[in-house]
C-alpha cells in the first residue's frame, strides 16, 4: 500500500488516495482533479481566478473587466508578478461592482455602461476582456450579446470569458476556458504583416518576474522569430497571428497545452513540450527547437555561450547547497519542472504537491521522483504543516499562502509562484534561483533560532 493518511486527516479519510509515496515496482498516482471534500481546508482558487489570474490577465494592453461583485476583483490586481512594459493590466482594477439591485434586475446595463466608461477613460486600450464571475452565471446576463453591442459602439474587440467561479473543481478549468475563448474569438482573426520559415510561439510563459524577457532572446539569438508569447507581456495584437507559427513550444503544460492542441488540430501546427528551467532542461529545449528548424549549430552556439557565462555560478552554488533536501508545492507544472534543476544543485526533492495537478502532471512527477518521495494532490494547510514538522526539509518552495507558516516552523522558504528576486527561467534565471535558495538556506538568521515552534 503506498497511499498515506496523515494524522491531521483522520476526520477526513477521503484524503488518503490523494497522498502517495513513491515505491519502485508499485507506482500509483494520487487521486486528482476532483471536487474538494467539504471541511478540507484546500488552498485552491476558483475558475475565474484561473481564467483571469493566470491566462487572460497578463495581456498587457487590454481593459481587464471583472463582471461581478467587487470582491471577485481582488484577483485583478497585484496578485501575481506578470511583468510587462505597459502597466495597464497591473495598475488598474476594473469591475462592474454588481450589487443586490443587479441580482434582481440583471447586470446587463451596468456591464455595457462600464465597458463604454472604461474605454472613454483608457482609449489607448486595444481590447476589453470581460470575465463573468459566479453571480453573473446565476442571474444569467447575456454577456455575449452585451459584449457584441459594446464592440460595435467602441470599435475595439470586446471578448467575454464565461468563467464563473463555481464551475469546475479548481482554477484549472479557468485556464481551459481562457484558452478556448482566446482560440475561438481571437486567434486567426488577423494575419501577421510578414511571415518567415522560423516563426514560433512560446505558449504557457507568463513572464513571472521577467521570465519571458530571459527566454525569448535565447530563441531569437538562434535565428527563430518569436511570433507571440502566450500570454506573458503579450499585446492583444500578438494573439490573432498565432495561427501562422511553424512551431509552438509549451512551457506551462497544465494551463496552456489546450491552445497548442487546438492550433495543431485546426491549423496543423505542431507543438513540443519544453522545460525552460535549469541549465540542462533549457539546453534541451533549445536543442529541440534547433532540430525542428534545422538550426542545430545555432542552438549549440547559444548554449555554449550561456554555459560559458553562467555554469561557474551554478558550480559555486552547488558547493553551498549539495546534500540539501526540499519540498516543492506549486500550482502544478513547476512541481515537476524543478525536480531536475534541483538535482543540478545537488538538492533532492523529497516531497512534491500541486494545487490542481491532473494525471499527466503526477505521471511526470513520479517519473522523476526517487523511492520514498511523497506526492500530495491539493494539500490542505494542516497536511503541509504536518509534513514540514515530520520531515523538516532544508527549505520549502511554495507560494505566499505557506510562507509565514514555514518561517514560523523555522524552515527557509522560497516563493516559487512570484519568485524572490527573479527571473528564474533560462540559464541566467537559474543562477538567480540558485542564489535565492542559497540566501534562504544559508542565511545567518537560522543560527539565532534556538528552537522551532512546536506544533500541538
Ligand atoms: S468563487 Fe465566485 S464569488 Fe468567489 S471570487 Fe470566484 S468568481 Fe468571485
Amino acid at each position: 500500500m503506498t497511499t498515506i493518511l496523515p494524522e491531521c486527516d483522520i476526520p477526513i479519510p477521503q484524503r488518503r488516495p490523494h497522498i502517495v509515496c513513491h515505491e519502485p515496482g508499485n507506482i500509483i498516482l494520487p487521486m486528482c482533479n476532483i471536487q474538494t471534500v467539504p471541511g478540507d481546508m484546500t488552498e485552491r482558487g476558483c475558475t475565474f481566478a484561473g481564467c483571469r489570474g493566470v491566462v487572460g490577465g497578463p495581456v498587457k494592453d487590454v481593459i481587464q473587466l471583472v463582471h461581478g461583485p467587487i470582491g471577485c476583483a481582488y484577483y485583478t490586481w497585484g496578485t501575481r508578478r506578470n511583468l510587462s512594459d505597459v502597466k495597464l493590466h497591473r495598475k488598474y482594477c476594473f469591475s462592474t461592482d454588481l450589487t443586490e439591485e443587479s441580482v434582481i434586475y440583471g447586470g446587463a446595463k451596468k456591464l455595457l455602461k462600464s465597458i463604454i466608461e472604461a474605454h472613454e477613460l483608457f482609449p489607448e486600450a486595444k481590447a476589453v476582456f470581460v470575465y463573468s464571475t459566479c453571480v453573473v452565471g446565476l442571474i444569467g446576463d447575456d454577456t455575449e450579446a452585451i459584449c457584441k453591442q459594446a464592440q460595435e459602439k467602441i470599435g475595439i474587440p470586446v471578448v467575454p470569458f464565461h468563467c464563473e467561479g463555481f464551475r469546475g473543481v479548481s482554477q484549472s478549468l479557468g485556464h481551459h476556458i481562457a484558452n478556448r475563448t482566446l482560440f475561438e474569438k481571437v486567434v486567426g482573426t488577423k494575419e501577421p504583416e510578414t511571415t518567415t520559415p522560423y516563426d514560433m510561439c512560446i505558449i504557457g510563459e507568463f513572464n513571472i518576474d521577467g521570465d519571458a524577457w530571459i527566454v525569448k532572446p535565447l530563441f531569437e539569438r538562434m535565428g527563430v522569430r518569436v511570433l507571440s508569447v502566450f500570454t506573458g507581456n503579450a499585446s492583444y495584437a500578438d494573439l490573432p497571428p498565432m495561427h501562422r507559427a511553424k512551431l509552438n513550444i509549451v512551457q506551462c503544460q497544465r494551463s496552456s497545452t489546450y491552445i497548442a492542441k487546438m492550433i495543431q488540430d485546426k491549423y496543423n501546427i505542431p507543438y513540443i513540450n519544453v522545460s525552460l528551467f535549469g541549465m540542462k532542461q533549457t539546453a534541451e529545449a533549445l536543442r529541440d527547437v534547433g532540430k525542428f528548424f534545422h538550426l542545430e549549430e545555432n542552438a549549440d552556439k547559444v548554449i555554449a555561450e550561456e554555459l560559458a557565462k553562467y555554469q561557474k555560478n551554478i558550480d559555486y552554488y552547488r558547493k553551498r547547497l549539495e546534500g540539501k533536501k526540499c519540498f516543492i508545492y506549486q500550482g502544478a507544472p513547476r512541481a515537476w519542472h524543478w525536480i531536475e534543476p534541483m538535482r543540478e544543485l545537488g538538492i533532492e526533492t523529497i516531497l512534491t504537491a500541486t494545487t490542481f495537478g491532473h494525471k499527466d502532471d503526477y505521471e511526470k512527477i513520479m517519473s522523476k521522483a526517487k523511492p520514498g518521495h511523497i506526492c500530495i494532490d491539493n494539500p490542505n494547510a494542516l497536511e503541509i504543516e504536518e509534513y514540514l514538522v515530520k520531515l523538516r526539509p532544508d527549505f520549502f518552495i511554495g507560494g505566499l499562502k505557506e510562507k509565514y507558516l514555514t518561517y514560523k516552523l523555522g524552515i527557509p522558504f522560497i516563493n516559487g509562484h512570484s519568485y524572490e528576486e527573479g527571473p528564474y527561467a533560462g540559464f541566467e534565471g537559474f543562477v538567480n534561483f540558485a542564489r535565492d535558495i542559497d540566501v534562504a538556506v544559508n542565511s545567518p538568521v537560522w543560527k539565532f533560532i534556538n528552537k522551532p515552534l512546536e506544533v500541538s
Side-chain angles (χ1 to χ4, degrees):
M1 176 66 82
T2 53
T3 57
I4 306 167
L5 187 69
E7 281 169 42
C8 65
D9 284 339
I10 289 170
I12 38 174
Q14 297 94 322
R15 285 293 301 154
R16 180 185 280 281
H18 294 267
I19 306 171
V20 302
C21 181
H22 184 289
E23 204 177 286
N26 184 25
I27 303 282
I28 58 167
L29 302 178
M31 184 182 277
C32 59
N33 196 27
I34 62 163
Q35 196 79 36
T36 304
V37 177
D40 180 6
M41 285 170 60
T42 178
E43 295 193 344
R44 279 176 167 173
C46 68
T47 298
F48 156 66
C51 185
R52 163 64 181 85
V54 176
V55 181
V59 182
K60 63 187 177 185
D61 52 4
V62 309
I63 289 162
Q64 306 267 358
L65 176 62
V66 181
H67 185 34
I70 194 66
C72 307
Y74 170 80
Y75 283 104
T76 68
W77 189 83
T79 50
R80 227 175 166 216
R81 296 217 298 252
N82 303 107
L83 302 190
S84 69
D85 43 24
V86 172
K87 298 279 180 271
L88 185 61
H89 72 308
R90 286 187 59 78
K91 199 169 173 187
Y92 298 100
C93 170
F94 300 90
S95 169
T96 49
D97 186 18
L98 296 187
T99 57
E100 277 174 307
E101 194 185 311
S102 320
V103 173
I104 296 163
Y105 297 109
K109 281 187 191 156
K110 220 172 178 186
L111 175 57
L112 183 61
K113 191 168 167 275
S114 302
I115 295 170
I116 293 168
E117 188 182 327
H119 180 251
E120 278 167 7
L121 289 170
F122 297 92
E124 70 273 30
K126 301 292 184 285
V128 183
F129 286 179
V130 174
Y131 302 92
S132 295
T133 71
C134 288
V135 159
V136 175
L138 297 173
I139 63 179
D141 283 347
D142 186 353
T143 50
E144 289 281 340
I146 302 156
C147 289
K148 206 170 159 212
Q149 201 183 339
Q151 182 167 309
E152 281 160 16
K153 273 193 190 301
I154 64 176
I156 58 171
V158 181
V159 183
F161 294 81
H162 302 287
C163 55
E164 295 81 1
F166 55 73
R167 299 179 64 185
V169 300
S170 70
Q171 54 266 66
S172 182
L173 182 68
H175 308 147
H176 197 158
I177 291 168
N179 277 241
R180 181 163 286 285
T181 305
L182 290 171
F183 175 74
E184 287 176 351
K185 295 184 186 295
V186 181
V187 174
T189 55
K190 208 173 171 196
E191 294 297 323
E193 280 174 16
T194 56
T195 56
T196 78
Y198 303 105
D199 289 349
M200 181 183 88
C201 298
I202 304 176
I203 290 182
E205 167 48 63
F206 301 113
N207 203 31
I208 302 292
D209 221 8
D211 274 353
W213 291 329
I214 291 267
V215 298
K216 190 177 164 199
L218 294 174
F219 295 106
E220 288 170 339
R221 276 163 55 197
M222 282 170 56
V224 170
R225 186 175 79 144
V226 177
L227 197 57
S228 311
V229 176
F230 181 89
T231 54
N233 191 37
S235 289
Y236 179 81
D238 296 338
L239 305 176
M242 285 179 73
H243 64 304
R244 290 297 176 227
K246 306 294 181 296
L247 173 72
N248 288 321
I249 58 170
V250 186
Q251 159 84 325
C252 180
Q253 292 153 38
R254 176 74 284 122
S255 69
S256 306
T257 304
Y258 309 109
I259 197 162
K261 277 192 176 145
M262 288 183 265
I263 291 173
Q264 178 173 266
D265 292 347
K266 184 167 177 185
Y267 298 103
N268 207 19
I269 298 166
Y271 72 90
I272 53 177
N273 291 330
V274 294
S275 216
L276 296 165
F277 292 109
M279 311 301 260
K280 288 184 188 159
Q281 292 181 161
T282 307
E284 201 181 318
L286 264 60
R287 280 194 197 101
D288 287 347
V289 170
K291 197 170 164 198
F292 179 86
F293 287 112
H294 304 295
L295 294 170
E296 289 94 336
E297 278 181 24
N298 295 11
D300 286 342
K301 187 167 173 279
V302 174
I303 294 165
E305 286 167 3
E306 292 290 302
L307 293 181
K309 217 164 160 188
Y310 299 115
Q311 186 61 50
K312 58 182 180 301
N313 304 67
I314 297 303
D315 296 342
Y316 166 80
Y317 288 119
R318 185 182 168 106
K319 279 190 197 127
R320 295 175 58 82
L321 296 168
E322 184 122 43
K324 302 291 183 200
K325 294 186 167 32
C326 75
F327 285 7
I328 304 177
Y329 171 31
Q330 293 293 297
R334 276 182 278 185
W336 50 262
H337 273 308
W338 286 341
I339 293 176
E340 291 298 339
M342 287 305 117
R343 286 186 184 137
E344 287 185 70
L345 295 171
I347 298 163
E348 191 55 37
T349 306
I350 56 172
L351 180 148
T352 48
T354 89
T355 314
F356 48 78
H358 292 211
K359 188 170 167 261
D360 57 309
D361 294 296
Y362 292 114
E363 282 168 351
K364 286 170 186 154
I365 288 173
M366 283 305 182
S367 72
K368 295 170 193 293
K370 287 195 171 164
H373 181 115
I374 289 169
C375 183
I376 310 180
D377 171 65
N378 185 23
N380 60 49
L382 295 177
E383 288 165 5
I384 293 167
E385 187 171 319
E386 188 170 323
Y387 277 106
L388 282 170
V389 171
K390 275 187 182 161
L391 301 183
R392 290 207 72 83
D394 293 294
F395 66 101
F396 180 20
I397 309 177
L400 270 187
K401 288 173 191 150
E402 303 85 48
K403 180 171 182 167
Y404 295 100
L405 165 71
T406 312
Y407 280 155
K408 283 177 188 173
L409 294 170
I411 295 170
F413 180 86
I414 301 287
N415 183 347
H417 287 180
S418 287
Y419 306 166
E420 302 294 334
E421 293 282 341
Y424 285 173
F427 302 96
E428 185 183 348
F430 191 44
V431 175
N432 297 334
F433 200 0
R435 178 208 57 215
D436 283 355
I437 296 170
D438 180 41
V439 166
V441 172
N442 294 316
S443 166
V445 74
W446 305 115
K447 290 183 197 141
F448 299 104
I449 296 177
N450 297 326
K451 194 168 181 285
L453 284 180
E454 295 290 345
V455 176
S456 56

